[in-house]
Amino acid sequence: MAGQIPKPQIDNDSRPFWEAAQRGELLIQRCEACSQAIFYPRAICPHCFSERVSWITASGRGRIYSYTVVHRAFGPFAEETPFVVAIVELEEGVRMMTRIKGDRGQVAIDKPVAVCFERVDEDLTLPYFTLI
């Protein structure tokens, strides 16, 4: 891929997520007070404001909630067009923005997907999804 991929800011709240992705594992948080699943990583539950949040391994399965096909991109992504960017709703109930790998002609709302991981450089692995 041409160009440098912009990297996420990894902080104490998100570090377990990124370290797990390096291992090929999808982690999300769960509130110990209200039992709600949480994504994106944060220090306080957005549902009940408890600070008692812990990490759980997500199933890695979900459904496409929404998507778009990107035909024009810039920087290191320009050579990858067209590609699909989607919001996937995981079985645990949280939604995450991601890319869908595979045949974009088969992508549709509510299609089932499973997580896969793509190492983009030596210290960054991204969770993507494929149709199942």
Side-chain angles (χ1 to χ4, degrees), residues 52-118:
R52 295 181 12 225
V53 295
S54 58
W55 291 95
I56 62 169
T57 301
S59 67
R61 292 181 305 274
R63 295 193 169 274
I64 296 174
Y65 178 79
S66 182
Y67 74 95
T68 189
V69 178
V70 177
H71 292 277
R72 300 176 108 187
F74 60 91
F77 303 106
E79 295 178 13
E80 297 184 18
T81 59
F83 57 86
V84 177
V85 174
I87 297 175
V88 168
E89 185 168 326
L90 297 177
E91 287 180 345
E92 292 80 6
V94 297
R95 294 179 185 152
M96 62 186 304
M97 184 177 287
T98 186
R99 282 182 53 181
I100 305 295
K101 302 300 270 184
D103 182 0
R104 69 182 180 281
Q106 298 297 311
V107 173
I109 301 296
D110 210 35
K111 284 262 189 148
V113 292
V115 72
C116 61
F117 294 88
E118 187 169 308

Side-chain angles (χ1 to χ4, degrees), residues 4 8 12-13 17 24 31 38 40 43 47 50 57 59 63-64 91 97 114 118 124-125:
Q4 186 83 12
N12 289 335
D13 294 333
F17 174 82
C31 178
I38 302 166
Y40 61 90
H47 306 285
S50 172
T57 301
S59 67
R63 295 193 169 274
I64 296 174
E91 287 180 345
M97 184 177 287
E118 187 169 308
L124 180 62
T125 300

